[in-house]
Amino acid sequence: MKLKKALIQTTFAAIGLVATMAHAQTVVLYSSNNTETIETALDVVKKSAPNLKVQQVTGGTGSLMKRIQAEAKNPRGDVLWSGGFGTLGAYKDLLQPYKGPGLESIPPEFRGPNDLWVGTNVHVMVMMVNERQLKGNAAPKTWSDLMKPEWKGKFAITDPSKSATAYMLVYGLLKQFGKDGLEKIAANAVVTSSSGTTYKGVASGEYAVGLTIEYAAQEYVAGGQKEIKLVYPSEGSYLAPEGMFIVKGAKNMDAAKTLYNALMSKEVQEAELTKNFRRPTRTDIQVSKLTTLPDLKSIKIFPLNQDAASAEYEQLVALWNIAVSKAR
Amino acid sequence: MKIKWWPWGFLTLICLVLLGFFVLYPLATLFSNSVLNDEGSFSLQAFVQLLQDSEYVKAFWNTLILGFSVTLCTVLIGVPFAYMVARYEFPLKNLVAVLPILTIVIPEIIVGQSWLLVLGNNGIVTNFFADRGIELPSFYGWTGMVFSMTLVYYTYIYLGVLAALRGFDGSLEEAGLSLGTSPLVTKWRVLVPVMLPAVLVNALVVFTLVVGNFALSMLLGSRVPLLSVMTYNTFVSEMGGSPALQSAMSVVSIVIVAIVLFVQKRVVERKIYTMTQGRAPAPERVKSWASALFTSTVGIVILASLLPLIVVFIAAFTATSGPVMQWGSWSLDSLTRAIRHAPEPIINSLQFSSIATVVGVAFAVLVSYLTIKKRNAATQLLDYIVVLPLTISGTVLGIALVQTFNTGWLVLAGTSGIMVLAYAVRRLPFAVRNATSTLFNIPESIEEASISLGVSPLMTFFKVILPAMKASLISAAILMWVTTISELSASVVVYSGGLETMPIAIFRQVDGGRLGLASAYGAALVTVILVPIFVSIKVFRINLFSSK
């Protein structure tokens, strides 16, 4: 009798195990975000979708997009998180339109055309200042300050052809100050080959100022590096929203949607804000309440058209390269 | 020479086919991609573009300058050091035996990262002085690269020269002295010709390593444009790079190394002297002041080589807040996080390098047996092809493999196969050289005896030759295992999701500015490498870096 009971119990346990295994959904996430950002999100996702097994492939947005393009006939990835709006625009045929629940709280400027993609968070371009390296000089207040001769060789900017955020920054400078202003900036700047080099360089004192992304700079402030300050240029800053999409023909479509919804949830966006200083695109999160960062409304923004920015890619990069080589 | 087809001719053919497919074919793809434009027709556009790019031209010269200066520095340190160790007896001398192990076992990425923690612009020592109003010169750029690369690579010169000195016939020097030549002149005239080939051969190795260096150049180079870094950046560019440009860049760095290899071969071949009987003079005991000097020199070098390890372990236990290290306050956070995430990269690393080691060593034994004991025209060709990977830096090899095995009937990109392939091809020349060196010492007569007793040639190979090579095979396997497990430059190019190895994980953390987490990964990696090495040295009683 005892044996029989034990047998039945084992059988049920086995069935239960098989059932949960069958229930576990796998989704392949392509991401250009750093491990910490992904971890933060997935820790929250684990609570809302415990059966979702997320496999990650990380790399630069460009190389991931090339990969999705190469795999188009037999997609190996399901969701891409995240790339600049301009970059995504160039690959419209590869994206699956999807409108998840609760997207109403995302302003239209942070959403892709026909729900092809959606902004998970938005970068603000700032000046990251290392006061120790200023050696007593005043920090710049505006973009035009950096066009003055005394700033030559003292600030870093990332090559716009190497980084999508740097591209938006340079595009903004061109739109706001014209070719002339862009040339003046290029003449003074130290050009780095990745956005990481710029902010790490300022943090480690290699450059006094870096034109970079708000969250990256804020991490050093929050980490207790007292000499690091963020300057929001009074002429207006530029926004670079980061987009997420589902790959067209994704093998794990249902799991992809689950992940997509989870990543857009208020919980994930709040966690990303408080832990990694990623500004949410959702309007129902008040940034200044949760962090020391100012609300988006209180920052002066110079508006940019993301689609136009991607259309003008070739010209801008060419213009920039000429400006840089002129300065050398 | 007549080729005997069974079994050796047949095996040679198989080796040639394999090498042709996995070494020559990717190289050919790379070369052809460099001269094809987007439409697929012949064009030198990519090279023209490189020539017109002032940044690239600068990177070209910088790479050469860096190559020569690091090589020079390693010679300046390695040669006297070897001389000191070979000729003199002094306290703590046995410590130098661990030097090669230290420099080969600690992955370059960890060396670079820990020097940044110490001497970087926000490093411990830098800040210590800065707080006292003393500005240390920036460690980024030339200073840091020459310093750290010298420290990593001088062992090649040291080991090579040490071996030459140990095989040196002391009576030559005595003869010189007895003929009335002054001691210094004798040393100069007798020792230099002996050491020169060793120096030149290993200097070339150092030069190629510097030109292909990725980890240290990437971490410390910053404002100094370099070929390896530019090639990598073009490959991973966020916007997606052009294959023609990537290939053209790769071709340039292959050509540089190939030219140097050619020149070196011409020079060295004329200069090799064979010692008929090598009875090295016994080491002299030095005077007390000299012994203090020698011991402290050795101490400093050991400490400098060991420092990265110490720093990494300290940093692994240091509290962090985002990217900022909180020196002085301890925490297990980084380690716990690393352990939570490390299993996959650790398993990957172990798996890939173990398979690559088995495959690589087996192949190397076969190739070296064929090229030494069964010489014919075909094996000579084999001999040439097998060293080809020496001319290819890791990054370039990675790009060639990805471009070749991305499409077509054999798709390896995205599978663990490409990782194993990258490891195996990259370390093949070293494995072959290792196997070759013992084969020279196995007399033909043993084999002939076995065959004349009726044992088939193949069985003789397994029953007689292989056991005789056992010791060197184990040491070759260990070396290959260690160097592949810390390999970064090729694997960072070919890896994809789920294939991340420890060095890649570390690189990504350093790249994202997370030095604390990177150190925790680093500590785990070093442990994974050191424990088996230590055990196998103790168990097999292997002298890993015997001078042969």
Side-chain angles (χ1 to χ4, degrees), chain A residues 33-36 38-39 43 46 56-63 66-67 76 87 91 132 135 153 160-165 167 190 193-197 199-200 203-207 216 219-220 222-225 227 276 313 325 328, chain B residues 53-55 58 120-122 127 130-131 135 138 140-141 218-219 221-223 229-230 233-241 321-324 326 337 340-341 406 411 413-415 495-498 500 508-514 517:
Chain A
N33 280 309
N34 65 29
T35 36
E36 242 152 329
I38 301 175
E39 243 174 64
D43 280 348
K46 211 176 267 167
Q56 304 169 27
V57 176
T58 51
T61 309
S63 58
K66 293 263 168 196
R67 198 178 183 124
R76 279 186 257 166
T87 318
Y91 295 91
R132 193 182 230 163
K135 319 251 184 230
S161 72
K162 300 277 165 58
S163 143
T165 43
Y167 177 81
V190 178
S193 59
S194 76
S195 25
T197 316
Y199 60 75
K200 277 189 288 178
S204 65
E206 206 182 349
Y207 319 111
E219 281 185 333
Y220 289 92
Q225 229 173 293
E227 68 275 23
N276 305 315
Y313 181 75
S325 53
R328 281 203 192 112
Chain B
D53 184 347
S54 64
E55 189 81 351
K58 227 190 270 169
N121 281 342
N122 199 27
N127 283 346
D131 291 344
E135 288 276 328
S138 173
Y140 293 87
M218 188 81 187
L219 290 189
S222 64
R223 291 197 201 197
V229 178
M230 272 187 105
N233 281 336
T234 320
F235 183 78
V236 297
S237 159
E238 263 185 66
M239 304 303 197
S321 167
V324 186
Q326 315 284 342
R337 279 188 57 196
R340 194 150 64 99
H341 293 277
N406 217 356
V411 178
T415 70
Y495 96 105
S496 52
E500 197 180 65
R508 283 182 49 210
Q509 295 301 343
V510 177
D511 199 39
R514 299 306 198 258
L517 204 53

Side-chain angles (χ1 to χ4, degrees), chain A residues 3-29:
Chain A
L3 183 76
K4 199 175 170 189
K5 199 177 162 193
L7 261 177
I8 292 171
Q9 274 176 346
T10 337
T11 317
F12 272 106
I15 291 172
L17 191 69
V18 172
T20 37
M21 270 163 63
H23 200 69
Q25 286 179 302
T26 307
V27 57
V28 182
L29 171 66

Side-chain angles (χ1 to χ4, degrees), chain A residues 177-227:
Chain A
F177 303 102
K179 202 171 148 234
D180 198 41
L182 194 66
E183 278 180 2
K184 281 185 189 150
I185 290 272
N188 280 352
V190 178
V191 183
T192 69
S193 59
S194 76
S195 25
T197 316
T198 302
Y199 60 75
K200 277 189 288 178
V202 177
S204 65
E206 206 182 349
Y207 319 111
V209 176
L211 311 192
T212 189
I213 317 160
E214 178 189 41
Y215 84 86
Q218 180 64 23
E219 281 185 333
Y220 289 92
V221 176
Q225 229 173 293
K226 290 184 194 68
E227 68 275 23

